[in-house]
Amino acid sequence: GEDVEQSLFLSVREGDSSVINCTYTDSSSTYLYWYKQEPGAGLQLLTYIFSNMDMKQDQRLTVLLNKKDKHLSLRIADTQTGDSAIYFCAESTSGTYKYIFGTGTRLKVLA
Amino acid sequence: DTAVSQTPKYLVTQMGNDKSIKCEQNLGHDTMYWYKQDSKKFLKIMFSYNNKELIINETVPNRFSPKSPDKAHLNLHINSLELGDSAVYFCASSQSGLPGALHFGNGTRLTVT
């Protein structure tokens, strides 16, 4: 079945860049998403990328997609303490209504 | 405010009880979902409704019964609660078509004692 994997923890210093990685197995994925979950809250959509794109930039966020290797990454530039949260990648295939979520990466930003 | 809202935020109950969680979205979306997040933060789809029709029904005990009275509402009723049902339950919605990103409620933390 479909599977989405992420490393569980990442720790960075304030002002540095963070890179959160994700691998997925479903080659028919249409869209790939990044969500942020702060304590006690729901998941907030940060950005998404269509599977025929290689890169998408949105302010401090850069998403890179390597479709051949089924690898997705999220780079956060100038990481701030407010960026500390759990980050989930997810994939979906057009027309299936099914979103498969990764295991989540807990990002800790040190002041 | 446009949002996905679910109630209650916290639910503490004893084993064997029956409880319901309600969800409403005012985003005009045609698809709604229930997800379960366990203590390790793993998220698993439970159910999905598109235009009030059940389209996803994952391997979930039949003690869990979803109900969608209209496109804007999706409720979850749980019978005979068990300790293992303790988790955070998230409601979400999306609109058919691309990109179809999910919009989540803030979750209901269910604790079964």
Side-chain angles (χ1 to χ4, degrees), chain B residues 6 17 27 36 42 54 60 64 69 76 96-97 104:
Chain B
Q6 50 183 114
N17 284 349
L27 297 163
K36 179 180 179 180
F42 295 151
L54 182 66
V60 175
F64 290 78
L76 183 66
S96 298
F104 282 85

Tab-separated table of all heavy atoms in Angstrom, chain B residues 6 17 27 36 42 54 60 64 69 76 96-97 104:
chain	number	residue	atom	x	y	z
B	6	GLN	N	-15.345	21.858	15.343
B	6	GLN	CA	-15.820	20.614	15.920
B	6	GLN	C	-16.019	20.782	17.403
B	6	GLN	O	-15.278	21.521	18.059
B	6	GLN	CB	-14.895	19.438	15.583
B	6	GLN	CG	-13.430	19.640	15.835
B	6	GLN	CD	-12.598	18.445	15.392
B	6	GLN	OE1	-11.793	18.548	14.465
B	6	GLN	NE2	-12.744	17.323	16.078
B	17	ASN	N	-19.372	3.766	27.759
B	17	ASN	CA	-20.316	4.835	27.409
B	17	ASN	C	-20.393	5.041	25.896
B	17	ASN	O	-19.539	4.577	25.144
B	17	ASN	CB	-19.898	6.149	28.073
B	17	ASN	CG	-20.230	6.156	29.563
B	17	ASN	OD1	-20.943	5.286	30.057
B	17	ASN	ND2	-19.674	7.119	30.278
B	27	LEU	N	-17.070	26.335	4.641
B	27	LEU	CA	-16.200	26.655	3.510
B	27	LEU	C	-16.856	26.338	2.178
B	27	LEU	O	-16.257	26.562	1.127
B	27	LEU	CB	-14.885	25.865	3.644
B	27	LEU	CG	-14.064	26.216	4.884
B	27	LEU	CD1	-13.022	25.137	5.164
B	27	LEU	CD2	-13.401	27.566	4.725
B	36	LYS	N	-8.136	10.054	12.808
B	36	LYS	CA	-7.759	9.758	14.185
B	36	LYS	C	-6.256	9.965	14.324
B	36	LYS	O	-5.483	9.461	13.493
B	36	LYS	CB	-8.119	8.308	14.536
B	36	LYS	CG	-7.747	7.893	15.949
B	36	LYS	CD	-8.140	6.439	16.197
B	36	LYS	CE	-7.760	6.003	17.607
B	36	LYS	NZ	-8.124	4.582	17.877
B	42	PHE	N	0.497	9.792	14.794
B	42	PHE	CA	0.151	9.201	13.501
B	42	PHE	C	-1.291	9.543	13.165
B	42	PHE	O	-2.175	9.417	13.995
B	42	PHE	CB	0.326	7.680	13.520
B	42	PHE	CG	1.742	7.233	13.712
B	42	PHE	CD1	2.015	6.031	14.335
B	42	PHE	CD2	2.808	7.993	13.261
B	42	PHE	CE1	3.326	5.603	14.515
B	42	PHE	CE2	4.109	7.575	13.437
B	42	PHE	CZ	4.374	6.370	14.071
B	54	LEU	N	-21.159	8.182	1.735
B	54	LEU	CA	-19.944	7.579	2.299
B	54	LEU	C	-19.063	7.066	1.172
B	54	LEU	O	-19.491	6.236	0.366
B	54	LEU	CB	-20.335	6.437	3.242
B	54	LEU	CG	-19.198	5.717	3.953
B	54	LEU	CD1	-18.490	6.644	4.937
B	54	LEU	CD2	-19.715	4.479	4.674
B	60	VAL	N	-12.344	0.273	10.532
B	60	VAL	CA	-12.682	0.908	11.801
B	60	VAL	C	-13.746	0.036	12.451
B	60	VAL	O	-14.644	-0.448	11.763
B	60	VAL	CB	-13.247	2.333	11.537
B	60	VAL	CG1	-13.729	2.966	12.818
B	60	VAL	CG2	-12.201	3.218	10.879
B	64	PHE	N	-18.022	2.628	15.655
B	64	PHE	CA	-17.917	3.996	15.151
B	64	PHE	C	-18.908	4.156	14.007
B	64	PHE	O	-18.839	3.415	13.023
B	64	PHE	CB	-16.504	4.283	14.634
B	64	PHE	CG	-15.469	4.367	15.713
B	64	PHE	CD1	-14.960	3.217	16.300
B	64	PHE	CD2	-14.992	5.593	16.144
B	64	PHE	CE1	-13.997	3.289	17.305
B	64	PHE	CE2	-14.032	5.682	17.137
B	64	PHE	CZ	-13.540	4.527	17.718
B	69	PRO	N	-25.727	14.672	7.865
B	69	PRO	CA	-27.087	15.127	7.566
B	69	PRO	C	-27.145	16.057	6.355
B	69	PRO	O	-28.167	16.115	5.664
B	69	PRO	CB	-27.505	15.873	8.839
B	69	PRO	CG	-26.244	16.198	9.555
B	69	PRO	CD	-25.223	15.176	9.152
B	76	LEU	N	-19.755	12.099	14.364
B	76	LEU	CA	-19.182	10.773	14.643
B	76	LEU	C	-19.748	10.282	15.963
B	76	LEU	O	-19.594	10.942	16.996
B	76	LEU	CB	-17.658	10.863	14.717
B	76	LEU	CG	-16.907	9.554	14.935
B	76	LEU	CD1	-17.080	8.628	13.734
B	76	LEU	CD2	-15.417	9.817	15.176
B	96	SER	N	-13.834	18.903	-4.049
B	96	SER	CA	-13.442	18.016	-5.153
B	96	SER	C	-12.686	18.795	-6.207
B	96	SER	O	-12.988	19.950	-6.471
B	96	SER	CB	-14.683	17.415	-5.822
B	96	SER	OG	-15.395	16.642	-4.925
B	97	GLY	N	-11.756	18.116	-6.846
B	97	GLY	CA	-10.972	18.786	-7.881
B	97	GLY	C	-9.637	19.195	-7.330
B	97	GLY	O	-9.346	19.055	-6.164
B	104	PHE	N	-8.516	21.447	8.259
B	104	PHE	CA	-8.785	20.709	9.493
B	104	PHE	C	-9.461	21.551	10.565
B	104	PHE	O	-9.208	22.766	10.669
B	104	PHE	CB	-7.459	20.191	10.082
B	104	PHE	CG	-6.914	18.976	9.398
B	104	PHE	CD1	-6.139	19.103	8.254
B	104	PHE	CD2	-7.181	17.714	9.889
B	104	PHE	CE1	-5.637	17.973	7.623
B	104	PHE	CE2	-6.684	16.578	9.266
B	104	PHE	CZ	-5.913	16.708	8.123
